[in-house]
């Protein structure tokens, strides 16, 4: 049993980076994740198919653990290979009518745009656009605009809970309430939130959620979760159904002849997308990382990460970095993004910081720092020293 401690990275002994601030990109596996992945591989190495029942039980446990993080029932949760797969599945399975309107947000990660564009081209849907950043710059005005669009008739709103570039947490309670008022459905990409910040999915009125496992959930790539609200399950069309989407899909393998039939009913809701053999190694790793997160408690992790941001944000401001973090705590997340001073740009700053042992990112022109539970607050001093040294050298090399 591994015991995680906030601000301690003793479960990451192999990590070669001095200060790892890229949990919004890919989290490195902890020793707990590595151990479970290797144990699963060993199990299959020793027993082959006999290990499958353990992998299957683990899958059920993981669905329940992820449901717990979201405050929903595990019956409405499926495991998917990544965020994109969950978006594509819902975009394919929704019973669209020609002319249905989807509200999208400029500035979103493309995962939550492309599948809706494809659905629009296929079914003759209309895409309506707002700017995600308007909700950071003038939230009240943007919410009024959102209400105007919804009042004009929107079938589905597709938005990320946390914007990948600025780190803005979108006003999900207002989104949920407005969608309910105007009869729209709410789809969220939660990969930049789940595991790093609390998310009351049922309470917020979210209808569909997709989130990959390799960022704030700290599992391996190739894992993820899809939630479908119970009231939406029956309407989904089984456009992505395959052999494991059926009720009792294994009977023809174990019950003798006569069970190989092709008209078994297909499960309704999220589980219909679990159509075939799954990523057992990834699921083993994700169960381990979610276990550590649950031991610590997402509320505590979030408070710790905010303390990290609080420690560095004024230091950055004093050096000319303009923070994108909202003054309103409701608009914050695990991501602290800034616009660096001078003309070098965020990408050059990220490269220069990497040379000083600090791993961060530069999505869409923002310098993004994304610490998680293993990051010590004291690391902020190290990051500031790296920045001072880059500034003393005249800024990052071009
Ligand atoms: C908001 C957001 N959605 C989706 C993804 C990735 O999607 P997927 O899990 O399909 O690779 C990222 C980052 O990689 C992201 O920041």
């Amino acid at each position: 049993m591994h015991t995680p401690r906030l601000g301690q990275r003793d479960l990451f002994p192999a990590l070669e980076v001095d200060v790892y601030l890229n949990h919004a990109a890919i989290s490195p596996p902890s020793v707990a994740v590595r151990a479970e992945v290797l144990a699963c591989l060993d199990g299959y190495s020793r027993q082959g198919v006999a290990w499958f029942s353990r992998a299957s039980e683990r899958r059920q446990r993981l669905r329940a653990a992820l449901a717990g993080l979201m405050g929903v029932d595990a019956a409405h949760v499926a495991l998917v290979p990544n965020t994109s797969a969950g978006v594509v599945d819902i975009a394919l399975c929704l019973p669209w009518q020609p002319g249905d309107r989807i509200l999208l947000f400029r500035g979103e990660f493309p995962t939550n745009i492309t599948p809706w564009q494809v659905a629009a081209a296929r079914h003759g849907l209309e895409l309506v656009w707002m700017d995600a950043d308007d909700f950071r710059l003038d939230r009240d005005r943007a919410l009024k605009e959102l209400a105007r669009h919804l009042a004009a008739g929107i079938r589905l709103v597709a938005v990320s809970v946390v914007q990948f570039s600025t780190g803005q947490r979108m006003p999900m309670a207002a989104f949920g309430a407005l969608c309910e008022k105007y009869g729209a459905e709410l789809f969220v990409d939660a990969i930049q939130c789940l595991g790093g910040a609390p998310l009351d999915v049922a309470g917020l009125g979210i209808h569909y959620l997709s989130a990959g496992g390799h960022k704030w959930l700290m599992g391996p790539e190739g894992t993820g979760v899809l939630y479908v609200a119970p009231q939406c399950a029956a309407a989904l069309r089984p456009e992505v159904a395959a052999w494991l989407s059926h009720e009792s899909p294994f009977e023809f393998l174990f019950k003798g002849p006569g069970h190989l039939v092709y008209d078994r009913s297909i499960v309704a809701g999220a589980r219909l997308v679990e159509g075939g053999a799954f990523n057992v190694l990834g699921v083993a790793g994700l169960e381990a990382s979610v276990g550590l997160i649950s031991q610590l408690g997402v509320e505590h992790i979030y408070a710790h990460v905010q303390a990290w941001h609080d420690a560095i944000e004024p230091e950055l401001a004093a050096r000319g970095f303009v923070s994108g973090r909202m003054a309103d705590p409701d608009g914050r997340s695990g991501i602290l993004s800034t616009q660096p001073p001078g003309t070098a740009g965020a990408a050059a700053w990220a490269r220069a910081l990497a040379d000083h042992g600090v791993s961060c990112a530069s999505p869409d022109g923002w310098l993004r720092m994304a610490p998680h539970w293993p990051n010590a607050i004291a690391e902020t001093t190290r990051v500031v020293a790296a920045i001072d040294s880059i500034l003393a050298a005249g800024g990052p090399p071009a």
Side-chain angles (χ1 to χ4, degrees), residues 24 82-85 109 111 160 162 164 189 191-192 212 214-215:
N82 47 50
T83 323
S84 303
F109 198 86
T111 283
S160 290
V162 170
F164 78 105
D189 169 345
I191 193 173
Q192 292 294 3
H214 60 279
K215 299 184 191 287

Side-chain angles (χ1 to χ4, degrees), residues 321-371:
F321 290 75
V322 179
S323 177
R325 192 178 182 220
M326 285 184 68
D328 176 358
D330 282 349
R332 296 177 173 179
S333 71
I335 291 173
L336 173 63
S337 285
T338 57
Q339 291 290 341
T343 53
W349 270 96
R351 282 195 301 274
L353 283 165
D355 290 342
H356 285 74
V358 177
S359 174
C360 54
S362 59
D364 199 26
W366 290 86
L367 184 65
R368 183 179 73 185
M369 298 183 182

Side-chain angles (χ1 to χ4, degrees), residues 1-17:
M1 166 90 169
H2 297 280
T3 306
R5 288 175 298 160
L6 289 176
Q8 304 274 337
R9 55 182 255 186
D10 45 332
L11 298 188
F12 299 80
L15 185 55
E16 291 170 357
V17 180

Side-chain angles (χ1 to χ4, degrees), residues 137-138 180 360:
L137 299 172
D138 188 344
E180 187 178 352
C360 54

